[in-house]
Amino acid sequence: CRERGFTRLTVVTSPTHPRRASATLEREGVVVVSSPCMETRYDLERLQRTDERLYAFGDLLHERVGLFVYARRGWIAPEAARWR
């Protein structure tokens, strides 16, 4: 981004991942516009089947742990990893 002079990016990622992805880029001084894509394994609005709930739980747990690890390593601001 610095080499090309980018100051603003649109981040397209899974619906459970934009917080960590955005925080990582914001830590580097880039203004981020987040645009989550559609999840194909489950519908976060419904989660009707057991396997959908399991996939969603795994993804959300992965992101929670990821936020903690990224904050500990200094890759994101500590406040970005706090519960909201």
Side-chain angles (χ1 to χ4, degrees), residues 50-65:
T50 303
D51 62 325
E52 293 174 332
R53 291 189 293 274
L54 188 59
Y55 285 132
F57 178 75
D59 286 350
L60 293 170
L61 182 61
H62 177 87
E63 288 306 314
R64 271 277 146 219
V65 171

Side-chain angles (χ1 to χ4, degrees), residues 19-20 23-24 27 63-82:
R19 184 173 174 188
R20 185 162 48 120
T24 305
R27 182 75 169 183
E63 288 306 314
R64 271 277 146 219
V65 171
L67 283 167
F68 174 77
V69 170
Y70 275 38
R72 293 274 306 199
R73 293 181 178 174
W75 296 345
I76 63 173
E79 57 271 6
R82 291 199 181 103

Side-chain angles (χ1 to χ4, degrees), residues 14-17 37-61 63:
S14 70
T16 59
H17 185 61
C37 63
M38 187 174 75
E39 177 58 63
T40 58
R41 292 182 300 161
Y42 52 84
D43 181 356
L44 275 171
E45 303 274 328
R46 300 195 198 301
L47 297 176
Q48 294 176 337
R49 297 188 338 248
T50 303
D51 62 325
E52 293 174 332
R53 291 189 293 274
L54 188 59
Y55 285 132
F57 178 75
D59 286 350
L60 293 170
L61 182 61
E63 288 306 314

